[in-house]
Amino acid sequence: MCNLPIRVICRANAEYMSPSGKVPFIHVGNQVVSELGPIVQFVKAKGHSLSDGLDEVQKAEMKAYMELVNNMLLTAELYLQWCDDVTVEEITHPRYGSPYPWPLNRILSYQKQWEVRRKMKAIGWAGKTLEQVLEDVDQCCQALSQRLGTQPYFFNKQPTELDALVFGHLFTILTTQLITDELSEKVKNYSNLTAFCRRIEQQYFEGHDKDSCTVSVQSSKKSSLLK
Amino acid sequence: MLKSEAYAKFSGAPLTVNTINNSWRAPKGDLPLLVSEDIVISQPAKILNFLRKQRYNADYDLSAKQGADTLAYIALLEEKLLPALLHTFWIEAENYCSVTKPWFASRIAFPMSLYVPGKMSREALNRILLTKGGPPLYSLTEVEAQIYRDAKECLNLLSKRLGTSQFFFGDTPTTLDAFVFGFLAPIYKVCFPRVQLQEHLKQLPNLCRFCDDILTCYFRLTVSGHSPAGQDTADANLQKLTQLVNKESNLIEKVTFASVSLILLLCCGYLFTDILAWQLQLYSGLYFNYFFSSELCCVERREEYYIIWKAELMKPCSKKVFLIQPKDHCLAGVHSNTRRSGIFTQAHIQQRKGGKCIGQNSENFLQIKTDHQLSLLSVACCSN
């Protein structure tokens, strides 16, 4: 959205390459920056920022919405991938362990699963059932939908970091094949959100395939799903 | 707890607050708990939902967008402010020992009072470390610095959002006000020894005014009424009990510390006796024994070296330098001429001439620990 050229590369060990252990991260020259927050700040320090036109109250709102998305959607995605037994067996374990030979694939995916479940327990999501998680996602989508209303982007006419974040999550939810489609159904209930995703995809992702690269973006399973 | 109460007051629901002494009576040990006829609900968010369904709704006048904003701000609070709050109450040592633990201990029956505060403290630490403590923040102090930075930023954002209005959405309080109040009031009112968050909050006058307004209008209190600011335990028996509880927990801590240090001491003792035995065994029977024993004592005392176990003494080619090559890591080097035990670096060895044979008559790889680094030397010995 900032018109910076990027290249997306999939690597199996992306999580280990990242300085903070989390994907996505970007590799620019000899600097590696991970996670959305620091990446945004890094890009801002280089002179590109999407949220310059917002006033203080709007910036506060934007941060609040970003936290909401992180809190709800990200945690719900993690829950669905790692705590729902059916999905774990059929989809997550094979996908996470696919670059490695047996038995490494099983060991690594169990380790990751244990880590995620521990985190869920610490924040209190371990006791939730799938229906409750879906309800939370629904509430979150409703909030986003109401905030978006009929505008093209969340804050007037210009896209901001919030738009990028929401697009990332919603697009993944809509395009990932799972056992059941309940999660993507919840999102599809809100037509302005699906229109929003489509608009951004058309505008920013379909014209940029042939750009030269000075920045390469490493990301893991999410981008492999996008393809 | 405060959120639920505040929301109930805002929406006019009739609510009586019962302080529970035995927290194991709550079905899953969770407080706060709402009991309405036969239904029991335990988390603040669910309590609020329940009240809304019973038509005690403080959000009636909000537009859809404002409702969405509420959710977003609540998520922000939970993500940024809650860890710092948990830290101030449960993990910061001075605060925990002088305020939180005695207060909780005084409200909970003995012996649960020994267990429950510790458990809540551990859960808080766990939560913070798991959600915030991943790399690149490796130590607890870095995590703490980060969460306090986040919390201050969050308070600043709230202050900007509140601006000059009385409540967050106009003139009547709503769910968001209840949540914000629930988070801010403990920071604002409880007197802790370590209060960086409180000081920051006091620099934001509109948030302070917000808290005071709600307290005076809805809770009809002055400073430390029935909100949990618990130093005023006026009862003498209760004070004695808290002191007793503190002493006991201190005693337990001291005993564990003593036993752990004893175990460590025993281990070190074993280690040293082992080394001593090795030395005696190794250097007995050698004609430069006297030399070694005195030199090696120096080596130990300087503590610049590790003494590894089960080393084999290399047969020296000359009497000038002896090196001890261990099976795993090499450690001590001794120079005979100067009767000085020193650390050899590669440069040092190469400078010596004539008769300076180190180790065997072949190339050897040795690891030698210098003052600051472990260097791997390949030592070529000259024939003598």
Side-chain angles (χ1 to χ4, degrees):
Chain A
M1 285 181 182
C2 292
N3 287 324
L4 294 170
I6 62 166
R7 187 176 64 188
V8 178
I9 302 177
C10 287
R11 290 267 194 275
N13 59 342
E15 276 183 334
Y16 300 104
M17 280 203 258
S18 152
S20 76
K22 299 219 171 99
V23 287
F25 64 96
I26 60 172
H27 176 231
V28 184
N30 59 351
Q31 283 178 311
V32 183
V33 184
S34 68
E35 293 198 57
L36 184 63
I39 291 179
V40 166
Q41 280 176 351
F42 178 78
V43 172
K44 197 167 172 177
K46 301 286 179 186
H48 296 272
S49 171
L50 288 176
S51 53
D52 282 339
L54 301 178
D55 65 19
E56 294 296 335
V57 175
Q58 283 180 319
K59 278 192 185 160
E61 257 189 65
M62 186 179 83
K63 287 220 163 73
Y65 272 98
M66 284 172 75
E67 286 306 326
L68 176 69
V69 170
N70 269 333
N71 210 358
M72 288 280 179
L73 286 184
L74 184 62
T75 325
E77 282 169 17
L78 277 177
Y79 180 92
L80 201 59
Q81 278 184 16
W82 294 102
C83 300
D84 177 37
D85 295 321
V86 177
T87 319
V88 164
E89 267 311 308
E90 304 262 329
I91 298 190
T92 319
H93 273 328
R95 187 188 61 192
Y96 192 76
S98 59
Y100 309 106
W102 193 90
L104 196 58
N105 53 359
R106 301 297 276 178
I107 295 174
L108 285 179
S109 49
Y110 275 120
Q111 193 185 39
K112 177 84 179 169
Q113 185 182 13
W114 184 74
E115 246 180 72
V116 172
R117 284 202 179 176
R118 229 175 105 200
K119 190 170 160 185
M120 292 290 152
K121 205 165 145 192
I123 57 174
W125 274 59
K128 290 199 182 187
T129 62
L130 192 58
E131 284 76 32
Q132 285 169 330
V133 170
L134 290 173
E135 235 183 80
D136 284 336
V137 169
D138 193 40
Q139 244 187 5
C140 179
C141 290
Q142 192 185 26
L144 288 173
S145 173
Q146 283 164 350
R147 179 71 183 79
L148 184 60
T150 48
Q151 298 167 323
Y153 300 107
F154 277 95
F155 289 98
N156 293 331
K157 308 276 186 318
Q158 294 299 321
T160 55
E161 287 93 8
L162 178 61
D163 301 283
L165 183 66
V166 171
F167 172 71
H169 279 286
L170 291 183
F171 193 77
T172 314
I173 292 178
L174 287 172
T175 53
T176 310
Q177 287 284 356
L178 289 177
I179 307 284
T180 58
D181 282 332
E182 289 168 352
L183 195 59
S184 49
E185 287 302 317
K186 295 279 177 198
V187 176
K188 283 180 192 161
N189 278 337
Y190 300 98
S191 56
N192 58 350
L193 291 180
T194 41
F196 170 77
C197 289
R198 199 157 294 135
R199 199 182 320 126
I200 291 191
E201 189 192 353
Q202 281 169 349
Q203 196 167 357
Y204 291 101
F205 282 92
E206 286 177 7
H208 287 210
D209 287 333
K210 295 172 197 159
D211 278 1
S212 63
C213 33
T214 52
V215 174
S216 58
V217 174
Q218 324 266 14
S219 84
S220 75
K221 6 191 217 300
K222 276 194 180 167
S223 77
S224 65
L225 295 172
L226 280 176
K227 285 187 187 160
Chain B
M1 168 71 186
L2 270 185
K3 302 175 220 151
S4 329
E5 255 190 88
Y7 185 82
K9 298 223 185 242
F10 293 163
S11 56
L15 197 70
T16 47
V17 178
N18 290 329
T19 50
I20 300 182
N21 284 332
N22 303 334
S23 53
W24 69 64
R25 280 208 203 136
K28 289 183 192 158
D30 276 334
L31 295 174
L33 205 62
L34 181 70
V35 179
S36 163
E37 289 156 11
D38 289 331
I39 312 173
V40 174
I41 310 175
S42 70
Q43 281 175 1
K46 292 185 196 162
I47 294 179
L48 262 55
N49 273 341
F50 178 75
L51 287 176
R52 241 177 251 137
K53 284 183 194 153
Q54 303 291 321
R55 294 201 297 249
Y56 292 112
N57 193 350
D59 289 347
Y60 203 64
D61 295 326
L62 291 184
S63 70
K65 179 176 170 310
Q66 286 172 326
D69 280 348
T70 305
L71 270 182
Y73 276 102
I74 291 175
L76 182 71
L77 285 173
E78 284 187 358
E79 185 67 25
K80 302 278 183 188
L81 202 52
L82 184 61
L85 197 65
L86 285 177
H87 185 270
T88 312
F89 265 79
W90 294 102
I91 299 171
E92 182 74 57
E94 278 183 44
N95 294 346
Y96 177 60
C97 293
S98 61
V99 177
T100 321
K101 199 158 131 186
W103 172 63
F104 264 79
S106 67
R107 301 288 172 129
I108 306 175
F110 185 86
M112 287 302 277
S113 59
L114 289 180
Y115 168 67
V116 170
K119 176 176 151 210
M120 293 182 75
S121 171
R122 273 192 301 275
E123 276 175 11
L125 185 63
N126 209 15
R127 183 181 171 141
I128 290 182
L129 284 180
L130 280 180
T131 49
K132 299 278 174 189
L137 304 168
Y138 284 105
S139 69
L140 190 57
T141 40
E142 286 177 22
V143 177
E144 287 171 12
Q146 176 67 29
I147 58 181
Y148 277 107
R149 263 201 300 271
D150 283 341
K152 286 175 187 167
E153 205 190 295
C154 180
L155 289 176
N156 290 343
L157 288 176
L158 283 177
S159 178
K160 281 180 200 149
R161 178 65 184 79
L162 183 60
T164 50
S165 50
Q166 196 186 7
F167 296 108
F168 276 92
F169 295 116
D171 294 330
T172 48
T174 55
T175 315
L176 182 58
D177 301 288
F179 264 84
V180 173
F181 176 70
F183 278 109
L184 292 184
I187 305 175
Y188 186 44
K189 290 298 181 186
V190 180
C191 303
F192 284 117
R194 304 280 284 268
V195 286
Q196 46 170 322
L197 216 50
Q198 196 179 64
E199 283 160 5
H200 190 85
L201 182 57
K202 287 188 175 150
Q203 289 169 8
L204 300 166
N206 55 353
L207 290 180
C208 298
R209 180 193 37 86
F210 172 76
C211 286
D212 286 328
D213 280 345
I214 294 187
L215 280 172
T216 47
C217 297
Y218 289 94
F219 286 83
R220 263 168 253 285
L221 309 163
T222 46
V223 173
S224 61
H226 85 277
S227 60
Q231 288 99 340
D232 312 50
T233 49
D235 196 10
N237 285 342
L238 213 51
Q239 271 179 347
K240 279 185 201 160
L241 184 64
T242 50
Q243 277 170 10
L244 188 62
V245 165
N246 279 348
K247 272 188 207 155
E248 273 203 51
S249 51
N250 281 345
L251 193 63
I252 292 174
E253 284 163 20
K254 277 180 197 156
V255 165
T256 31
F257 177 70
S259 52
V260 165
S261 49
L262 193 63
I263 292 172
L264 277 177
L265 208 62
L266 285 173
C267 291
C268 293
Y270 174 71
L271 216 64
F272 280 121
T273 47
D274 200 1
I275 290 169
L276 207 57
W278 157 72
Q279 282 179 357
L280 291 173
Q281 182 189 25
L282 212 50
Y283 302 120
S284 61
L286 296 168
Y287 62 92
F288 38 73
N289 189 16
Y290 68 94
F291 164 74
F292 263 114
S293 48
S294 58
E295 285 302 318
L296 280 170
C297 288
C298 288
V299 168
E300 267 180 86
R301 263 185 251 136
R302 284 202 203 183
E303 294 189 339
E304 287 168 348
Y305 316 92
Y306 294 125
I307 305 283
I308 31 56
W309 322 316
K310 304 190 185 69
E312 292 169 26
L313 186 62
M314 302 289 294
K315 196 172 171 187
C317 310
S318 76
K319 290 179 189 169
K320 299 220 169 161
V321 175
F322 305 101
L323 278 180
I324 301 170
Q325 183 182 12
K327 284 188 183 158
D328 299 325
H329 299 281
C330 170
L331 242 288
V334 176
H335 187 247
S336 68
N337 257 358
T338 57
R339 296 224 150 200
R340 167 179 65 85
S341 42
I343 309 279
F344 296 115
T345 59
Q346 191 159 15
H348 185 83
I349 290 174
Q350 280 166 357
Q351 277 163 19
R352 304 197 163 273
K353 294 178 188 172
K356 170 208 81 154
C357 179
I358 302 167
Q360 283 172 343
N361 244 354
S362 63
E363 263 194 39
N364 281 317
F365 286 97
L366 299 167
Q367 278 181 327
I368 291 190
K369 180 177 189 292
T370 60
D371 284 332
H372 300 291
Q373 60 200 6
L374 200 63
S375 50
L376 192 66
L377 295 184
S378 101
V379 177
C381 183
C382 55
S383 67
N384 200 16

